[in-house]
Amino acid sequence: MAILSAFWETIKLWDQTTLFHINQVWSNKTFDAVLPWLRESATWLPLYLFYSVFALANFGKRGAAWVIFFLICVTISDQVSNYFKHWIERPRPCNDPFMAQYIRLRLEYCSPSFSFTSSHAANHFGVAMFIHFTMKNIKPIKTSWLFLWAFTICYAQMYVGIHYPTDILGGTLIGLFAGWIASNVFNRRFKLLQINPVY
């Protein structure tokens, strides 16, 4: 028990220290302007709508199935993440009495919901995984960059002060697993074939 307790305290200290550096030490005016905006749904939703419209326009019934599996992937990652939130009940850093005094909240308010795991991380990495493994061979669509996109949004969650690094890590693992499951099931039944895309 003593070893486990010491290990947990080490992880906790790393979590707090890393968040402090991301939120305070590694901050700048450009990040202050861009990162809070990047994490908003109005920023990333059009991208996912584009992929959905592309699938529907080019693959017919298979495209419709793709959209359904896309939504299933997001639902799974989101629900699993929320399960962990209510099981662990970890306060967000901006709501934690100790951490709140050391970080700067870059949003208008701090959500009262729990912190572990990050639903943003789960959802965006789930989507990145699903799109990549269902469309990676469809030209001219590019997909591998979506993992960097998901990471950037997750970094923004830490930068604004509402998630710890381990929240992001936990959500990322959930998302990658959900995306892997959804893409594998989809590819076995409805695999998208290369076409001459409609622009």
Side-chain angles (χ1 to χ4, degrees), residues 1-16:
M1 290 298 293
I3 295 176
L4 289 176
S5 179
F7 175 76
W8 168 244
E9 288 301 319
T10 300
I11 295 297
K12 184 178 178 181
L13 178 61
W14 175 86
D15 228 10
Q16 294 171 339

Side-chain angles (χ1 to χ4, degrees), residues 73-89 92 113-124 163 167-168 170-175 178:
C73 176
V74 174
T75 300
I76 292 173
S77 61
D78 192 65
Q79 290 302 308
V80 173
S81 178
N82 282 327
Y83 170 80
F84 277 96
K85 274 187 170 72
H86 291 93
W87 178 38
I88 303 298
E89 295 188 347
R92 293 179 182 269
S113 64
F114 296 116
S115 188
F116 186 90
T117 60
S118 166
S119 293
H120 270 70
N123 294 339
H124 288 289
H163 274 298
D167 300 338
I168 300 301
T172 297
L173 294 175
I174 290 171

Side-chain angles (χ1 to χ4, degrees), residues 158-187:
M158 295 182 286
Y159 188 81
V160 299
I162 63 173
H163 274 298
Y164 293 99
T166 51
D167 300 338
I168 300 301
L169 178 59
T172 297
L173 294 175
I174 290 171
L176 292 176
F177 185 69
W180 181 80
I181 291 292
S183 62
N184 270 272
V185 174
F186 175 83
N187 284 336

Side-chain angles (χ1 to χ4, degrees), residues 9-28:
E9 288 301 319
T10 300
I11 295 297
K12 184 178 178 181
L13 178 61
W14 175 86
D15 228 10
Q16 294 171 339
T17 303
T18 304
L19 176 63
F20 174 78
H21 278 78
I22 292 172
N23 177 263
Q24 292 278 39
V25 180
W26 302 332
S27 62
N28 57 67

Side-chain angles (χ1 to χ4, degrees), residues 3-189:
I3 295 176
L4 289 176
S5 179
F7 175 76
W8 168 244
E9 288 301 319
T10 300
I11 295 297
K12 184 178 178 181
L13 178 61
W14 175 86
D15 228 10
Q16 294 171 339
T17 303
T18 304
L19 176 63
F20 174 78
H21 278 78
I22 292 172
N23 177 263
Q24 292 278 39
V25 180
W26 302 332
S27 62
N28 57 67
K29 292 182 179 180
T30 301
F31 282 7
D32 287 351
V34 174
L35 294 186
W37 165 80
L38 184 64
R39 55 175 297 280
E40 296 295 334
S41 59
T43 304
W44 47 257
L45 187 58
L47 174 66
Y48 300 145
L49 287 175
F50 165 79
Y51 280 103
S52 298
V53 170
F54 179 87
L56 290 170
N58 289 283
F59 300 103
K61 292 181 179 180
R62 290 175 184 261
W66 187 92
V67 172
I68 292 172
F69 270 79
F70 176 95
L71 295 174
I72 290 173
C73 176
V74 174
T75 300
I76 292 173
S77 61
D78 192 65
Q79 290 302 308
V80 173
S81 178
N82 282 327
Y83 170 80
F84 277 96
K85 274 187 170 72
H86 291 93
W87 178 38
I88 303 298
E89 295 188 347
R90 182 187 198 184
R92 293 179 182 269
C94 49
N95 285 327
D96 182 273
F98 173 77
M99 281 302 297
Q101 61 184 319
Y102 295 108
I103 63 169
R104 175 186 171 193
L105 178 63
R106 291 181 169 86
L107 301 177
E108 293 183 359
Y109 76 102
C110 182
S111 172
S113 64
F114 296 116
S115 188
F116 186 90
T117 60
S118 166
S119 293
H120 270 70
N123 294 339
H124 288 289
F125 272 101
V127 165
M129 193 75 160
F130 177 76
I131 295 176
H132 178 66
F133 280 103
T134 56
M135 288 191 172
K136 64 179 181 178
N137 296 320
I138 305 299
K139 297 179 180 180
I141 288 293
K142 304 297 183 182
T143 58
S144 57
W145 73 278
L146 287 168
F147 293 101
L148 178 60
W149 169 258
F151 171 79
T152 305
I153 293 175
C154 293
Y155 189 88
Q157 292 290 89
M158 295 182 286
Y159 188 81
V160 299
I162 63 173
H163 274 298
Y164 293 99
T166 51
D167 300 338
I168 300 301
L169 178 59
T172 297
L173 294 175
I174 290 171
L176 292 176
F177 185 69
W180 181 80
I181 291 292
S183 62
N184 270 272
V185 174
F186 175 83
N187 284 336
R188 288 176 183 175
R189 302 196 61 180

